[in-house]
């Protein structure tokens, strides 16, 4: 029995979205309230603003980032405190400077320079801002009734309150019920317009949170893995991705091909000779030792050269002017030409090539207006087959086959550049909800 298939679709009605009230915004607001509340409860007359600033800076999108950020900024705060203490001691020794406001402002500015430079010098670049803020709070907020040491310790205490509150707020979360028996499939071209565009930062953050929470999300891409790695290099993808329109399954994290439905060597030779006899140029996408190789062969036209000029300089793409070998696993053969010529070529090849051997797909070239690409795969390959393999075979240690959920937006005005974050937010609601997991009876 195959895995249960489910398709989740976005409402077809057109929407104008307001900015989402994200978790980070809410948690930052809570952190500020707690800082103010702590000052109120303990009757502390220190600088509440300093605590609130620290909390705002230290609340991060991910828990691990908050821990690292809090530690680094705590060290940065100590650096700012030490320089602030030295500044106050020097001002006491040179009272002439303290009586001239312009001079003292000049020395404060020089102090900021020294604080930031020293923090960056010890590789705590992210803490430089808070270190400078701490220094200024000590320098500007100095009360002549207190000693420099008391003033410095007070400002450090204010900052530590903010850091501790931020860490507490970001770590604490409501209990959630997670759909661990489901695997979600998201098409990459629903997240990004084309290979030259970038996925929005909001979408990346939302995806990363889901991966960190244990969600099984497989990205489905019509392109080779270089596109995924260049687009989402900041993602920590824990589920294999379906690439090259279903010809291969690729583990982004391990940089490893898991499964390839290849074109047999003899079939690839026959196809390449056919294209060569038509005086066509083409690229052969092959895999050797988990490395993707792109062989450029035949009479490459202007469109092929334009594509190479745009993508060929990437370190993630290995173009080779030459011929593949028997050691290569051939995933795809592709040729680019004008829309009309590709349409005619597709029709001709569908008549002449055996359908039980080859599968043909045509795709527009987004950065080459008026041009299309004809992609030829093994007839054994398909996105649907790779999905079934993931559900039933790859995760074979599961108690039961994973339930398959295809997340597909169908709104006519759907735009990946602005709507993808809402698609992933919908995925969050499908994956988990607030509540307590019921214990299974023995």
């Amino acid at each position: 029995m195959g895995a249960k298939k489910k398709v989740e679709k976005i409402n077809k009605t057109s929407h104008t979205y307001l900015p989402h009230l994200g978790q980070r915004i809410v948690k930052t607001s809570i952190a500020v309230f707690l800082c103010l509340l702590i000052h109120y409860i303990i009757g502390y007359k220190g600088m509440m603003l300093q605590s609130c600033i620290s909390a705002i800076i230290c609340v991060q999108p991910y828990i691990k980032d908050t821990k690292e950020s809090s530690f680094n900024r705590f060290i940065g705060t100590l650096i700012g405190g030490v320089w602030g203490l030295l500044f106050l001691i020097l001002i006491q020794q040179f009272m002439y400077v303290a009586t001239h406001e312009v001079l003292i402002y000049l020395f404060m500015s020089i102090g900021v320079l020294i604080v930031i430079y020293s923090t960056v010098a010890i590789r705590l670049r992210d803490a430089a801002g808070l270190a400078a803020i701490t220094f200024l709070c000590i320098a500007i907020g100095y009360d002549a009734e207190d000693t420099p040491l008391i003033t410095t310790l007070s400002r450090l205490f204010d900052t530590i309150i903010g850091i501790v509150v931020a860490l507490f707020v970001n770590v604490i979360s409501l209990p959630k019920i997670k759909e661990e028996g489901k695997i979600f499939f998201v098409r990459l071209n629903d997240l990004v317009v084309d290979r030259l565009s970038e996925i929005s930062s909001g979408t990346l953050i939302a995806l990363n949170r889901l991966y960190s929470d244990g969600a099984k999300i497989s990205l489905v891409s019509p392109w080779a893995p270089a596109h995924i790695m260049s687009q989402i290099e900041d993602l920590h993808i824990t589920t294999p991705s379906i690439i090259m329109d279903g010809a291969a399954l690729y583990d982004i994290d391990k940089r490893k091909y898991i499964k390839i439905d290849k074109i047999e060597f003899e079939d690839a030779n026959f196809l390449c000779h056919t294209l060569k006899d038509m005086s066509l140029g083409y690229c052969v996408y092959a895999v050797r030792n988990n490395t993707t190789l792109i062989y450029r062969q035949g009479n490459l036209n202007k469109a092929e050269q334009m594509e190479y000029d745009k993508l060929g300089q990437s370190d993630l793409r290995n173009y080779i002017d030459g011929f593949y070998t028997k050691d290569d696993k051939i995933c795809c053969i592709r040729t680019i030409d004008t829309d009309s010529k590709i349409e005619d070529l597709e029709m001709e090849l569908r008549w002449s090539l055996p359908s039980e051997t080859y599968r043909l797909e045509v795709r527009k070239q987004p950065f080459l207006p008026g041009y299309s690409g004809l992609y030829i795969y093994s007839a054994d390959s398909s996105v649907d087959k790779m999905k079934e393999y993931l559900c039933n075979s790859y995760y074979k240690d599961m108690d039961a086959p994973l339930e398959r959920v295809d997340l597909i937006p169908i709104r006519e005005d759907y735009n990946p550049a602005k709507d993808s974050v809402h698609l992933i937010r919908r995925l969050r609601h499908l994956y988990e909800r607030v509540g307590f997991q019921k214990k299974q009876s023995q």
Side-chain angles (χ1 to χ4, degrees):
M1 291 294 291
K4 182 180 178 182
K5 179 179 177 181
K6 184 178 181 181
V7 177
E8 286 292 339
K9 300 179 180 179
I10 303 300
N11 195 321
K12 198 170 183 178
T13 307
S14 177
H15 292 285
T16 299
Y17 291 109
L18 291 174
H20 178 62
L21 189 61
Q23 289 187 41
R24 187 180 183 184
I25 298 174
V26 174
K27 287 184 175 182
T28 301
S29 175
I30 293 172
V32 169
F33 172 74
L34 290 177
C35 287
L36 298 174
L37 188 62
I38 288 172
H39 278 264
Y40 172 77
I41 292 173
I42 66 177
Y44 179 62
K45 303 301 182 181
M47 191 175 286
M48 291 188 290
L49 179 61
Q50 174 72 359
S51 298
C52 295
I53 290 173
S54 301
I56 291 170
I57 292 175
C58 289
V59 172
Q60 297 293 312
Y62 313 116
I63 293 175
K64 70 177 185 66
D65 289 342
T66 296
K67 293 177 181 177
E68 294 172 3
S69 170
S70 298
F71 175 77
N72 289 338
R73 283 168 177 149
F74 174 75
I75 301 300
T77 299
L78 291 180
I79 294 171
V82 170
W83 283 114
L85 178 60
L86 291 175
F87 176 82
L88 295 183
I89 292 173
L90 287 173
I91 291 300
Q92 282 191 337
Q93 298 299 317
F94 300 95
M95 294 303 297
Y96 172 78
V97 173
T99 59
H100 292 74
E101 290 188 9
V102 174
L103 271 179
I104 201 167
Y105 294 158
L106 174 63
F107 281 105
M108 283 182 185
S109 301
I110 295 173
V112 169
L113 183 149
I114 294 173
V115 170
I116 294 176
Y117 181 81
S118 62
T119 309
V120 172
I122 60 173
R123 303 184 184 278
L124 291 176
R125 186 180 299 272
D126 291 341
L130 193 54
I133 291 171
T134 303
F135 169 81
L136 286 176
C137 286
I138 292 171
I140 296 174
Y142 175 56
D143 188 345
E145 295 181 1
D146 293 328
T147 65
L149 180 60
I150 294 298
T151 299
T152 300
L153 292 176
S154 297
R155 298 297 82 80
L156 287 176
F157 182 67
D158 296 331
T159 304
I160 291 170
I161 288 176
I163 292 174
V164 172
V165 166
L167 186 60
F168 171 78
V169 168
N170 233 33
V171 169
I172 297 301
S173 61
L174 294 174
K176 301 289 181 64
I177 298 175
K178 299 178 180 180
E179 297 289 352
E180 297 177 349
K182 294 182 179 179
I183 182 169
F184 301 89
F185 293 96
V186 179
R187 299 182 305 194
L188 195 59
N189 48 12
D190 288 331
L191 304 183
V192 67
V193 176
D194 54 53
R195 286 181 288 175
L196 298 182
S197 303
E198 293 183 357
I199 298 177
S200 71
S201 59
T203 300
L204 289 176
I205 290 172
L207 264 177
N208 245 344
R209 281 188 179 137
L210 280 163
Y211 281 121
S212 298
D213 288 346
K216 298 179 183 66
I217 306 169
S218 178
L219 299 177
V220 181
S221 171
W223 304 295
H227 172 254
I228 298 182
M229 290 186 285
S230 62
Q231 288 283 351
I232 50 183
E233 58 185 8
D234 293 330
L235 274 181
H236 307 292
I237 301 178
T238 56
T239 308
S241 299
I242 299 172
I243 61 170
M244 292 193 234
D245 203 28
L249 192 64
Y250 189 72
D251 189 322
I252 297 291
D253 183 51
K254 296 179 180 178
R255 302 290 194 267
K256 179 181 179 181
Y257 280 88
I258 296 171
K259 188 177 188 299
I260 298 174
D261 288 329
K262 65 179 182 178
I263 301 174
E264 295 299 331
F265 185 76
E266 293 76 12
D267 295 331
N269 284 341
F270 172 77
L271 181 57
C272 289
H273 283 303
T274 301
L275 295 174
K276 187 176 181 180
D277 291 341
M278 295 179 175
S279 298
L280 294 172
Y282 53 90
C283 287
V284 178
Y285 288 76
V287 176
R288 187 191 302 173
N289 298 327
N290 286 310
T291 300
T292 308
L293 305 173
I294 307 173
Y295 295 95
R296 304 171 76 234
Q297 299 179 3
N299 298 319
L300 298 168
N301 58 21
K302 180 181 177 181
E304 291 278 6
Q305 188 60 41
M306 289 172 64
E307 199 238 22
Y308 173 76
D309 291 340
K310 282 184 175 293
L311 303 178
Q313 306 306 313
S314 169
D315 294 335
L316 299 172
R317 294 178 174 89
N318 304 297
Y319 283 90
I320 300 173
D321 289 322
F323 296 93
Y324 54 88
T325 71
K326 288 187 176 182
D327 294 328
D328 297 318
K329 296 179 181 178
I330 299 168
C331 301
C332 171
I333 298 174
R334 184 222 63 204
T335 185
I336 298 177
D337 216 314
T338 60
D339 294 340
S340 58
K341 288 184 179 179
I342 290 296
E343 183 179 350
D344 293 340
L345 177 62
E346 179 195 15
M347 187 176 300
E348 183 176 350
L349 292 179
R350 286 194 186 279
W351 278 102
S352 61
L353 296 178
S355 59
E356 67 273 11
T357 305
Y358 305 104
R359 174 170 65 90
L360 279 62
E361 300 289 342
V362 174
R363 288 202 295 273
K364 296 284 187 181
Q365 301 300 297
F367 47 84
L368 295 173
Y371 286 87
S372 294
L374 177 62
Y375 296 77
I376 307 173
Y377 306 94
S378 166
D380 294 331
S381 69
S382 75
V383 170
D384 199 62
K385 286 181 180 178
M386 280 297 181
K387 289 180 178 179
E388 291 300 317
Y389 173 81
L390 264 179
C391 292
N392 297 294
S393 300
Y394 183 78
Y395 289 103
K396 57 186 177 183
D397 294 334
M398 303 291 290
D399 294 336
L402 294 173
E403 180 181 347
R404 169 180 160 185
V405 181
D406 297 326
L407 204 68
I408 302 174
I410 61 171
R411 282 209 341 263
E412 294 178 357
D413 62 342
Y414 181 87
N415 183 342
K418 62 180 181 180
D419 296 335
S420 59
V421 68
H422 305 291
L423 181 71
I424 301 304
R425 196 165 294 131
R426 170 64 177 157
L427 176 53
R428 164 65 71 179
H429 295 320
L430 293 171
Y431 173 64
E432 68 177 15
R433 63 186 186 277
V434 176
F436 292 93
Q437 194 79 41
K438 293 182 180 179
K439 292 184 179 180
Q440 295 182 349
S441 58
Q442 298 294 327

